Amino acid sequence: MAQATCAVRRDDMENRIAELRKARRISQAELAEAVAVTRQTIISLESGRYNASLLLAHKIAKYFDTTIEDIFLFEEESP
């Protein structure tokens, strides 16, 4: 199974991955396997070090049966 990677670092987006994962009692390893990434990728996403690519965000949203916007909380920069 191919492993997806994280996108570049951004400081303006948070996510609810850990919250959703813990509510379902799913380990980081189980989520990683389900969306075809490494456990380290899930750790990096949950800690905010990296943001998911659009493809990975879609896989995670589909896994949790919700929308990308419900998981990834984007704050626009002020002009």
Side-chain angles (χ1 to χ4, degrees):
M1 184 180 299
Q3 299 287 318
T5 59
C6 292
V8 295
R9 176 186 167 90
R10 294 183 54 168
D11 295 322
D12 53 357
M13 189 180 304
E14 296 180 16
N15 68 68
R16 298 177 53 229
I17 296 170
E19 174 188 340
L20 293 168
R21 181 180 57 74
K22 289 174 184 176
R24 291 193 182 189
R25 299 178 183 212
I26 298 164
S27 72
Q28 290 171 329
E30 290 170 318
L31 177 58
E33 184 175 337
V35 296
V37 297
T38 64
R39 181 175 165 267
Q40 186 59 43
T41 297
I42 300 301
I43 292 168
S44 294
L45 290 168
E46 289 184 356
S47 68
R49 287 185 290 182
Y50 293 98
N51 288 332
S53 66
L54 183 56
L55 177 60
L56 180 54
H58 177 74
K59 287 180 179 181
I60 293 169
K62 187 174 178 181
Y63 179 82
F64 287 114
D65 194 29
T66 190
T67 65
I68 291 172
E69 293 85 358
D70 284 342
I71 297 174
F72 297 91
L73 312 171
F74 181 75
E75 293 184 23
E76 293 186 37
E77 293 181 19
S78 300

